[in-house]
Amino acid sequence: MMTIEEFGRRLRAREVTSVGVTEECLGRIEAENPKLNAFIKVTADEALRQARQADQELAAGTDRGPLHGVPLSIKDILDMRGLPTTAASRVREGHVAERDAPTVAHLRQAGAVFVGKTNLHEFAFGTTNEDSAFGPARNPHDPTRSPGGSSGGSAASVAAGMALATVGTDTGGSIRIPSAACGIVGLKATFGEVSVDGVVPLSRTFDHVGPLAQTVTDASLVYHALLGDAGTKSPVPAPIHGLRLAVPRPYFCDMLDDEVRARFEEALERLRTAGARIDDIEIKHAKEIVPVYMHISMADAAAYHAATLETMPERYTKPVRLRLEMARYVLAEDYVRALAGRERLTREVDAATAQHDALILPSLPIPAPTIGASTVQIGSTAEPVRNLMLRLTQPFNVTGHPAIAMPSGLTSAGLPCSVQLVGRRMQTDALIRVALACEPFVTLHRVQV
Amino acid sequence: MTIESWLQAAIADAEKRGLPDLKPLLEALARSTQVLRAADFNDEASGKR
């Protein structure tokens, strides 16, 4: 499927129309969704109406900017007026959103076309998309495997050409994990930068909204539209020569699948050859990231779900219900300890990024796991899938730093690998420029499904 | 409350609520809490940490 950037050029050159490309996306949804289960709701009629309007506006001289007429999908955890926000849970039965989430309103204002709402791990509380009231979404690269989660349907929709880009949420990696598993780009901006109003929360301390797209440029265009900055131009890459990158090896590179490690080291070598300077560094309290994340996110989730766990527990999928029930046992004193840990970790990542243009590390320690697997073998030990999938992304939900996942080749079985870059807080655009500089050396070429 | 006494109380409460499957999750939470409490960023009233 063409990128947003390419679509924009061809739309304005009158080579394609929004209606034509929207019909192409809807055709792929019709053909592939029975297999991939990426969508909970397809809004074909409304999408075609929006596309016709976009074409008519452009013909009349009204150009809303880079997202004008672009078919997008939206994770079914963001409110879209007049539609249910299911969060992939029966707990939400009967809900209809009265208004758009501000981010959705911004996209609408930017001229985007909404092809439908995508599947997710129930309440965004999982990394595989297996526990959904609508059944699991599947990975377009291998439908026996998870697309990652929680924004798994969103990532699958872009990787399979059902939308040019999508919008997801990321509380412990739910944009970057599925982007990595499906071979696309996922961006989480600095915490607090993109509105989370009108979004079903998982952890209000860690929730982010952001784009999943085919390229760094496309992710940047959607990110700016989410902010309400629809007129933005394509970003300009930082110079690759002299770029200062840091690999936080202890903890972050301790537990990697062999092929993921190989693709990561190959990407580093290409970046070095291109002129980037790459140092090894350490985040001192990295080993405390998991308990810090766990105690804060669980306490947040418990507070939001306590009432419905009492009144309608049978409506949750069993694994999600059990994790939420477990969350209710977190003690206040441990929550406060975790807040102190969060402060310490944030300062340590601030210090690391102050000395470098970005941190660089893998996004996901393993390729997309088989649906139903509870553990994955790493070396001689079997590790829980959930722990592994969160391991490299949740640190930057804890600290709030912007992070972007981008494809970095395939395993011998044809499964995507991914590299993550982490920038300075409140400097998401600077991170995007670094990612653009690295993209030709990390990604080499886009993987088409 | 020590982690051990918290864990025993939590498991007993979960069983009373008809949620025996919570036991392994609570044990995992207890291990995580152990790491959290051992971290050097914690302080305490004695002033020794």
Side-chain angles (χ1 to χ4, degrees):
Chain A
M1 179 55 76
M2 70 182 80
T3 65
I4 293 174
E5 205 181 14
E6 183 185 355
F7 169 82
R9 273 198 305 273
R10 296 183 64 189
L11 181 74
R12 288 164 183 84
R14 305 291 191 263
E15 294 171 10
V16 297
T17 62
S18 176
V19 167
V21 176
T22 300
E23 283 175 339
E24 197 178 331
C25 290
L26 292 171
R28 291 198 188 194
I29 293 171
E30 196 173 342
E32 299 294 326
N33 201 51
K35 181 174 69 180
L36 299 177
N37 200 24
F39 282 81
I40 288 173
K41 175 96 176 161
V42 180
T43 52
D45 291 346
E46 176 62 9
L48 289 170
R49 188 198 65 74
Q50 289 177 307
R52 278 192 295 274
Q53 183 183 333
D55 287 336
Q56 286 163 5
E57 284 184 356
L58 204 60
T62 301
D63 187 340
R64 291 172 182 255
L67 293 198
H68 190 112
V70 174
L72 301 179
S73 61
I74 303 289
K75 185 179 185 178
D76 196 12
I77 200 166
L78 289 94
D79 283 347
M80 289 179 66
R81 68 178 184 228
L83 294 177
T85 310
T86 71
S89 180
R90 291 182 51 234
V91 171
R92 304 278 299 180
E93 276 176 10
H95 171 270
V96 176
E98 291 178 3
R99 60 186 67 83
D100 286 336
T103 44
V104 172
H106 286 150
L107 295 174
R108 205 185 284 281
Q109 188 60 34
V113 169
F114 301 124
V115 294
K117 301 193 78 179
T118 50
N119 204 350
L120 63 144
H121 208 114
E122 184 180 27
F123 281 112
F125 200 21
T127 58
T128 61
N129 217 128
E130 288 166 290
D131 302 316
S132 160
F134 301 89
R138 294 176 180 275
N139 194 316
H141 292 269
D142 176 354
T144 68
R145 293 180 181 264
S146 163
S150 63
S151 312
S154 295
S157 76
V158 175
M162 299 164 158
L164 270 56
T166 186
V167 177
T169 58
D170 189 316
T171 303
S174 285
I175 288 173
R176 291 160 289 155
I177 291 167
S179 295
C182 291
I184 61 173
V185 173
L187 171 66
K188 177 196 88 64
T190 304
F191 177 76
E193 209 180 338
V194 180
S195 170
V196 292
D197 290 346
V199 180
V200 178
L202 174 56
S203 162
R204 288 186 167 105
T205 313
F206 296 148
D207 288 344
H208 299 66
V209 169
L212 298 86
Q214 298 174 79
T215 62
V216 173
T217 294
D218 281 9
S220 174
L221 294 173
V222 178
Y223 156 66
H224 279 278
L226 289 168
L227 293 173
D229 180 14
T232 190
K233 298 277 188 289
S234 294
V236 177
I240 188 73
H241 192 82
L243 203 66
R244 297 162 305 163
L245 302 173
V247 184
R249 289 204 180 265
Y251 175 85
F252 294 94
C253 296
D254 288 350
M255 204 180 286
L256 299 177
D257 169 88
D258 288 345
E259 289 194 86
V260 169
R261 185 186 300 280
R263 294 299 90 77
F264 177 61
E265 296 296 343
E266 289 160 9
L268 292 183
E269 195 49 46
R270 289 193 296 270
L271 288 165
R272 274 192 204 98
T273 302
R277 195 188 83 196
I278 301 176
D279 303 324
D280 285 356
I281 61 152
E282 180 177 7
I283 305 295
K284 187 180 169 214
H285 285 87
K287 71 178 192 302
E288 277 93 21
I289 287 166
V290 175
V292 166
Y293 176 82
M294 191 173 188
H295 286 78
I296 295 173
S297 63
M298 292 288 170
D300 281 346
Y304 183 70
H305 286 277
T308 42
L309 285 168
E310 292 297 327
T311 56
M312 53 182 83
E314 74 289 349
R315 291 196 184 186
Y316 288 90
T317 62
K318 186 177 176 187
V320 168
R321 180 193 173 197
L322 281 175
R323 280 206 302 282
L324 288 169
E325 286 287 1
M326 181 260 285
R328 300 176 80 186
Y329 290 92
V330 171
L331 295 177
E333 63 179 86
D334 294 317
Y335 175 79
V336 172
R337 289 184 180 102
L339 291 178
R342 180 191 188 207
E343 286 300 313
R344 184 66 62 94
L345 282 159
T346 302
R347 287 203 299 274
E348 289 175 5
V349 177
D350 279 344
T353 51
Q355 304 298 318
H356 298 87
D357 295 301
L359 309 186
I360 184 166
L361 61 151
S363 308
L364 192 57
I366 53 172
T370 304
I371 290 174
S374 57
T375 59
V376 171
Q377 198 73 21
I378 295 275
S380 59
T381 56
E383 295 290 333
V385 165
R386 178 180 161 81
N387 296 2
L388 278 173
M389 292 183 89
L390 286 168
R391 183 177 172 86
L392 304 181
T393 48
Q394 66 186 358
F396 310 107
N397 296 82
V398 168
T399 67
H401 290 77
I404 187 166
M406 42 208 248
S408 63
L410 301 171
T411 67
S412 53
L415 297 171
C417 300
S418 176
V419 161
Q420 184 178 199
L421 293 168
V422 179
R424 297 175 189 141
R425 280 193 291 159
M426 302 312 296
Q427 294 192 31
T428 303
D429 275 319
L431 173 66
I432 289 169
R433 288 193 291 276
V434 171
L436 272 172
C438 294
E439 191 175 30
F441 307 100
V442 169
T443 301
L444 295 179
H445 50 79
R446 283 195 296 132
V447 179
Q448 302 284 332
V449 177
Chain B
M1 184 178 274
T2 66
I3 294 172
E4 195 171 299
S5 60
W6 165 83
L7 180 59
Q8 284 172 3
I11 290 171
D13 182 66
E15 284 176 355
K16 195 171 71 184
R17 296 173 58 223
L19 294 167
D21 292 349
L22 265 187
K23 186 179 176 196
L25 279 75
L26 291 167
E27 288 169 342
L29 179 58
R31 288 192 294 275
S32 177
T33 305
Q34 194 91 49
V35 176
L36 181 67
R37 290 191 185 184
D40 66 6
F41 51 70
N42 292 300
D43 51 11
E44 62 180 41
S46 69
K48 290 175 183 169
R49 285 183 75 180

